[in-house]
Amino acid sequence: MTTPDGAPARRGRAAALVVACVLAAALGPAAPARAADPSKVLHITLPDINSLDPQQYNDSPSYDVLRAIYEGLYEYDYLASPARIVPCTAAALPVITDQGRTWTITLKRGIYFTPDPAFGGKRRELVAADYVYALQRWMDPTLRRGGDTWTIDLVVGARAVVDAAKRTGHFDYDAPIAGLRALDRYTLQLKLTDAVYPPIENALTTGALAREVVAAAGGDISTRPVGTGAYMLREWRRGSRVVLVANPDYRPLSFPQTDNPRWAAMARAMAGRTFPQIGEIDIAIMDEDQPRVLEFERGKLDYLRLYTDFATRLLDGKAVRPDLAARGITHIASAEPYTFAFYANMQDPTVGGMDAAHVALRRAIALGTNVDELIRVVFGGQAMVARQLVPPPAAGFDPALQAQPLYDPAAANALLDRLGYNQRDADGLRLAPGGKPLVLVWSLRSGGTSTTLATLIRKDMRTIGLRTDFHMTPFQDVIKELEGGKFALYYGGYGGLPSGYGILMQLDGRAPVAQNASRFASPRYDALMDQFMRTRDPQVQRASAAGMARIAETYVPLQPLVFRLENDFVQPWLEGFAPPAFDTYWKYLDLKADPGSARTPRGSAAERNK
């Protein structure tokens, strides 16, 4: 998933679209369940979201919201480290036979979708066929994500159906796939061509959806989410607000227990309660970090995740500011499972191509980027140098690899002089080979730290004689341009999976452009990718990932720069919070009684600054 640099994404969008969800009472009977408390409202903030389709999102804010609405067979354990899948709508972990090639999964009974007119006023139970349909959509090459390459090649019989869809532009959801079947109403079976675990585990977390809802919506459910999750959409005003309300038909949950010493005490304290407790989630869409910080200081947000130098505004060194600590506010720092990098479009005439001159240009850009200054100025020290593709929390990261930046402007200048970029214009900036004008155009999301980032890029590139220009646009528009190949250079982050395969797939020549935005292709890289995917041995995975990183450093279709630190700040009245690295866990949070009075603490700095 792509992240919008950790800051709100969309600007200048008033309430252009309002999506309303008709609640259960209006559409039909619901089995009584222990209702969440409607007086408990979780107040948080996110960048704007693009889609609530569980198979067509391509950004982390959308994922955060849709994971509260839709449920996979499995989810990532809230408190486990390293990450592992645990049953969600499945009754147990998969039964894996045939040397890892057959997976049989039994669903829990009595789980129902939230009401929708497509159900004709009746309750609609979740069944195995709904996951067959969801996984077909996960593989559909005609949808936005272009189909998950590894799942397509692993599920027996899927490739033929997918190739037919590529030829016709239509995926036949009625065409049988031998490796994807509902054996009965509550049993799903997958047969695989190879025993490769990470992409299948990830695919089994994709949300189930009812085919009749998709049909009734004309195929576009981006604003009509109907899932089985703990929450349902009440309102979505683009660029302004998203409101979720508790699903009144949701099954009661217990708080996850753990042997992880970091969270064991919290888990014990939360034991005995029935979840979800919170009746409403009010998500404010904010463009900039500054208002988010102010709202948190005023007690208007229950927790806040910050990156870059804005995190330091709430810190005194590595600890939370004393005035905030006196109010009971706590701080949790952790490594983010995203890699932030510069991307080059390998099909762009200025920076793309595998010839020596273009490879030299991209290598010079990498050598000319002062990552230490980037971390100091843009991130306020809240990041680490990245010299490998996989970030620290994910499988494939090697802590033994040297983490020194490439920065060497003298070497960059020498490389450009030697490979045909030695001619200069009247301003002393380099021309392309043959004397043609040379301008490096960077696509950046508007807002956030992009202006500061652009200043540093311009400074670094001028040091090696390169002229720059910047195309700044809202984050969701940047994503569309990346997928359409309408960019030359881009800075952003990608990740969110406990296995490094999601990051590594960005340069897999077989991956769709929703993942391989650089359009890079290398048989050697793909062979190492296969090696990474076909082992569960951590040492082999690290070695394979290191080999892929060396190929990336040689040809520079992307250059990893930093691994950010996540800084979560938590109000004293919020209970059950742990950093959500790989999933959304709002269903396990709780608010102490009468949190509203605590949200505007008397005499606080926030109150004085109103």
Side-chain angles (χ1 to χ4, degrees):
M1 292 178 291
T2 306
T3 178
D5 196 26
R10 188 173 294 281
R11 311 202 324 169
R13 295 291 300 274
L17 172 67
V18 178
V19 181
C21 177
V22 181
L23 299 183
L27 280 176
R34 188 216 58 81
D37 187 344
S39 70
K40 293 182 177 181
V41 181
L42 180 71
H43 292 272
I44 60 176
T45 180
L46 285 175
D48 203 3
I49 64 176
N50 176 262
S51 175
L52 291 178
D53 184 324
Q55 285 85 40
Q56 295 203 78
Y57 72 92
N58 201 31
D59 61 279
S60 55
S62 295
Y63 178 83
D64 289 343
V65 178
L66 68 86
R67 292 295 289 172
I69 298 171
Y70 292 99
E71 294 184 301
L73 288 156
Y74 301 95
E75 64 185 9
Y76 292 106
D77 191 317
Y78 184 23
L79 304 176
S81 181
R84 62 171 181 255
I85 60 168
V86 291
C88 184
T89 64
L93 288 173
V95 175
I96 302 176
T97 56
D98 189 25
Q99 297 181 313
R101 291 178 174 84
T102 299
W103 296 42
T104 305
I105 301 156
T106 302
L107 274 67
K108 296 173 183 174
R109 302 186 181 206
I111 295 176
Y112 293 89
F113 286 97
T114 56
D116 186 88
F119 301 144
K122 300 177 181 179
R123 299 176 77 206
R124 169 65 157 81
E125 189 180 16
L126 174 71
V127 295
D130 297 320
Y131 282 109
V132 171
Y133 179 60
L135 290 169
Q136 287 175 316
R137 290 186 93 238
W138 189 246
M139 295 185 286
D140 188 343
T142 71
L143 298 183
R144 180 183 178 187
R145 291 179 66 92
D148 185 76
T149 304
W150 272 96
T151 306
I152 291 166
D153 286 330
L154 282 172
V155 175
V156 172
R159 171 53 65 185
V161 178
V162 168
D163 287 347
K166 289 181 177 179
R167 290 193 302 271
T168 64
H170 171 73
F171 189 96
D172 184 356
Y173 285 90
D174 294 313
I177 297 176
L180 178 59
R181 296 189 300 151
L183 299 184
D184 56 40
R185 186 172 177 83
Y186 302 106
T187 308
L188 177 76
Q189 186 180 79
L190 292 107
K191 286 188 173 293
L192 309 180
T193 60
D194 203 352
V196 178
Y197 289 78
I200 296 301
E201 289 182 345
N202 182 55
L204 294 179
T205 67
T206 193
L209 68 170
R211 185 171 178 178
E212 59 265 44
V213 173
V214 179
D220 183 5
I221 57 166
S222 61
T223 60
R224 186 175 170 174
V226 180
T228 63
Y231 292 92
M232 48 201 291
L233 181 67
R234 185 173 76 187
E235 180 181 356
W236 174 10
R237 296 179 181 268
R238 287 195 185 273
S240 176
R241 186 168 303 278
V242 177
V243 179
L244 306 179
V245 292
N247 175 2
D249 203 13
Y250 196 69
R251 60 197 181 276
L253 299 177
S254 298
F255 195 83
Q257 294 302 292
T258 183
D259 55 5
N260 183 344
R262 187 180 186 187
W263 306 114
M266 181 182 74
R268 288 194 297 271
M270 301 295 285
R273 304 185 202 184
T274 301
F275 292 87
Q277 286 278 330
I278 291 173
E280 182 176 312
I281 302 172
D282 191 326
I283 305 168
I285 303 300
M286 296 186 186
D287 288 344
E288 305 290 346
D289 283 325
Q290 180 68 23
R292 296 165 65 179
V293 170
L294 291 175
E295 286 294 278
F296 181 80
E297 288 186 305
R298 292 177 179 135
K300 302 300 184 183
L301 297 173
D302 296 318
Y303 74 85
L304 179 64
R305 170 162 289 186
L306 289 174
Y307 308 90
T308 71
D309 63 326
F310 275 93
T312 64
R313 302 186 186 197
L314 301 180
L315 296 174
D316 181 11
K318 294 185 178 180
V320 69
R321 256 175 28 209
D323 61 311
L324 300 180
R327 290 164 48 184
I329 292 172
T330 55
H331 166 242
I332 305 169
S334 53
E336 183 189 29
Y338 284 80
T339 300
F340 281 78
F342 286 156
Y343 294 74
N345 182 352
M346 298 298 286
Q347 297 176 359
D348 181 76
T350 300
V351 300
M354 294 290 280
D355 58 285
H358 284 104
V359 171
L361 177 60
R362 296 192 299 271
R363 286 181 61 80
I365 292 169
L367 289 166
T369 301
N370 190 338
V371 178
D372 282 338
E373 187 175 28
L374 177 73
I375 290 174
R376 180 177 59 82
V377 176
V378 174
F379 294 97
Q382 301 295 307
M384 304 174 288
V385 174
R387 284 294 298 277
Q388 52 188 306
L389 296 169
V390 179
F397 173 78
D398 189 348
L401 288 181
Q402 185 178 10
Q404 295 297 321
L406 282 171
Y407 186 54
D408 190 341
N413 274 309
L415 184 62
L416 291 170
D417 286 341
R418 191 169 67 251
L419 270 297
Y421 296 90
N422 54 317
Q423 298 181 64
R424 306 267 182 157
D425 62 17
D427 296 323
L429 297 177
R430 296 181 185 275
L431 298 171
K436 296 180 181 179
L438 175 61
V439 181
L440 304 180
V441 180
W442 299 78
S443 294
L444 303 176
R445 58 162 293 274
S446 53
T449 59
S450 291
T451 300
T452 303
L453 176 64
T455 299
L456 290 182
I457 292 172
R458 183 179 289 111
K459 173 187 170 185
D460 285 345
M461 294 302 100
R462 274 193 168 266
T463 299
I464 59 175
L466 296 173
R467 186 184 302 276
T468 55
D469 195 5
F470 297 91
H471 168 61
M472 295 198 184
T473 191
F475 173 62
Q476 295 295 346
D477 293 337
V478 170
I479 297 301
K480 293 176 184 176
E481 292 174 5
L482 292 179
E483 293 174 352
K486 297 177 181 179
F487 77 102
L489 294 161
Y490 164 71
Y491 164 84
Y494 195 91
L497 293 177
S499 170
Y501 93 90
I503 300 276
L504 297 170
M505 273 194 71
Q506 290 186 101
L507 298 179
D508 189 315
R510 301 156 294 188
V513 295
Q515 293 166 299
N516 185 354
S518 293
R519 280 88 171 156
F520 179 69
S522 163
R524 283 199 301 132
Y525 187 98
D526 294 353
L528 286 169
M529 185 74 190
D530 290 344
Q531 181 175 295
F532 179 93
M533 297 294 282
R534 285 178 168 80
T535 181
R536 302 191 93 180
D537 185 327
Q539 289 186 331
V540 177
Q541 287 187 331
R542 285 194 292 267
S544 302
M548 286 181 266
R550 286 192 293 271
I551 292 172
E553 194 166 293
T554 299
Y555 298 104
V556 205
L558 71 78
Q559 174 59 40
L561 298 174
V562 299
F563 303 133
R564 296 192 309 187
L565 295 178
E566 297 175 332
N567 290 274
D568 290 300
F569 297 88
V570 185
Q571 299 284 6
W573 52 79
L574 181 64
E575 298 181 294
F577 180 88
F582 302 113
D583 226 323
T584 303
Y585 303 97
W586 297 328
K587 63 186 178 183
Y588 293 127
L589 300 181
D590 198 2
L591 295 165
K592 292 181 182 177
D594 193 22
S597 62
R599 284 196 173 112
T600 52
R602 288 190 178 276
S604 70
E607 188 175 61
R608 290 195 299 271
N609 289 334
K610 284 181 181 177

